[in-house]
Amino acid sequence: MTQPKDDLYANPLQDLASFRFDQGVVNVFPDMIKRSVPGYTTIISMIGDLAERYAQADSTCYDLGCSLGAATLAMRHRIRSANCRIVAIDNSPAMIERCQLVVQADSGEVPVSLLCGNLQELQLEPASVVVLNFTLQFIDLAEREQILAKIYRALLPGGVLILSEKVAFNDTPHQDLMIELHHNFKRANGYSDLEIAQKRTALENVLIPETLEVHRNRLKRAGFGSSDVWFQCFNFASLIAIKA
């Protein structure tokens, strides 16, 4: 089945609203994420690999900010440990409604529970794998450390957090280069300069990227003794943090 093309910003918009995960975004999300985030397919695939490695028997695996469930399904198809379950949450009703259809159509055997709500309010059960896949960047800066501390407390010894984020750089020339390379990536995937500019404006003050140093330091303060980057392409990166 052909996925609808992301053309949300293809025409000039006089009233350019802030980006929201509404029904319009849900309808084109698979195309949007594939054409906008370099390495996204690789990250999703490796989340499955990491879940297979780190999922522990009788534990919960979390997809926090699950969107349409790509990471959820990647984990579902690779987890081999007995009596694991997956809990996936997103605060967009439109996302959860569509994700429910995706999960129902999937043949995986690991139980999946879908929740619509804010992950800040979610009470975490003992967990072995937690995924924040391009989620933390949309959360208020003041709440991010508390969320990571809550995840650390819920993780079992040997448990893992996978944190994927759009990142920023302190060095201005390098920051400008990474932005330019990302925009070139989007152009190569068929986005026009108008689409790139309007999407960037819509995301301003909605998606707040931070440096890798900030992420590492926050993970350390949350309790993680080991964390580092396992994937990076331009200004998109994914880190692994392991609880000793």
Side-chain angles (χ1 to χ4, degrees), residues 75-106:
M75 290 192 286
R76 190 183 203 187
H77 286 273
R78 298 297 298 273
I79 290 173
R80 301 290 180 264
S81 299
N83 300 321
C84 281
R85 70 172 186 135
I86 298 170
V87 174
I89 185 171
D90 202 285
N91 66 1
S92 165
M95 280 287 186
I96 286 295
E97 183 178 355
R98 184 69 59 84
C99 186
Q100 186 72 56
L101 298 177
V102 172
V103 170
Q104 287 175 352
D106 179 70

Side-chain angles (χ1 to χ4, degrees), residues 4-136:
K5 183 180 179 181
D6 173 23
D7 58 0
L8 298 181
Y9 298 96
N11 298 309
L13 299 174
Q14 292 184 347
D15 184 16
L16 189 57
S18 295
F19 185 87
R20 296 186 303 117
F21 291 98
D22 56 17
Q23 190 63 57
V25 169
V26 169
N27 290 339
V28 300
F29 188 74
D31 182 66
M32 174 186 286
I33 200 78
K34 180 180 179 181
R35 295 166 62 205
S36 300
V37 179
Y40 183 78
T41 301
T42 298
I43 291 171
I44 292 298
S45 177
M46 286 304 301
I47 285 173
D49 287 354
L50 291 167
E52 182 177 14
R53 178 184 179 93
Y54 286 100
Q56 300 178 30
D58 304 308
S59 70
T60 302
C61 299
Y62 286 95
D63 186 2
L64 304 179
C66 63
S67 61
L68 298 186
T72 294
L73 296 189
M75 290 192 286
R76 190 183 203 187
H77 286 273
R78 298 297 298 273
I79 290 173
R80 301 290 180 264
S81 299
N83 300 321
C84 281
R85 70 172 186 135
I86 298 170
V87 174
I89 185 171
D90 202 285
N91 66 1
S92 165
M95 280 287 186
I96 286 295
E97 183 178 355
R98 184 69 59 84
C99 186
Q100 186 72 56
L101 298 177
V102 172
V103 170
Q104 287 175 352
D106 179 70
S107 61
E109 297 181 358
V110 178
V112 174
S113 298
L114 295 177
L115 304 174
C116 186
N118 294 320
L119 66 90
Q120 296 94 317
E121 300 167 3
L122 179 66
Q123 298 299 312
L124 300 179
E125 300 294 330
S128 54
V129 179
V130 178
V131 174
L132 280 168
N133 203 40
F134 302 106
T135 299
L136 198 67

Side-chain angles (χ1 to χ4, degrees), residues 54-56 127-130 155-161 224 240-244:
Y54 286 100
Q56 300 178 30
S128 54
V129 179
V130 178
L155 279 171
L156 298 165
V160 64
L161 166 64
F224 290 99
I240 297 176
I242 302 171
K243 182 172 182 176

Side-chain angles (χ1 to χ4, degrees), residues 131-206:
V131 174
L132 280 168
N133 203 40
F134 302 106
T135 299
L136 198 67
Q137 60 198 24
F138 291 104
I139 292 175
D140 188 272
L141 289 168
E143 298 179 318
R144 296 181 183 183
E145 188 160 336
Q146 183 179 359
I147 288 170
L148 295 186
K150 179 170 71 171
I151 291 170
Y152 179 82
R153 291 192 298 269
L155 279 171
L156 298 165
V160 64
L161 166 64
I162 304 163
L163 173 65
S164 307
E165 290 278 285
K166 185 176 183 180
V167 297
F169 302 90
N170 288 322
D171 181 73
T172 300
H174 191 71
Q175 169 77 356
D176 292 343
L177 174 60
M178 292 300 103
I179 291 173
E180 180 183 352
L181 290 173
H182 180 221
H183 288 177
N184 287 342
F185 171 85
K186 296 181 79 170
R187 291 186 188 99
N189 282 323
Y191 284 116
S192 67
D193 287 341
L194 175 65
E195 289 176 288
I196 293 169
Q198 290 193 137
K199 176 76 171 294
R200 187 176 184 183
T201 300
L203 282 168
E204 190 175 4
N205 300 321
V206 176

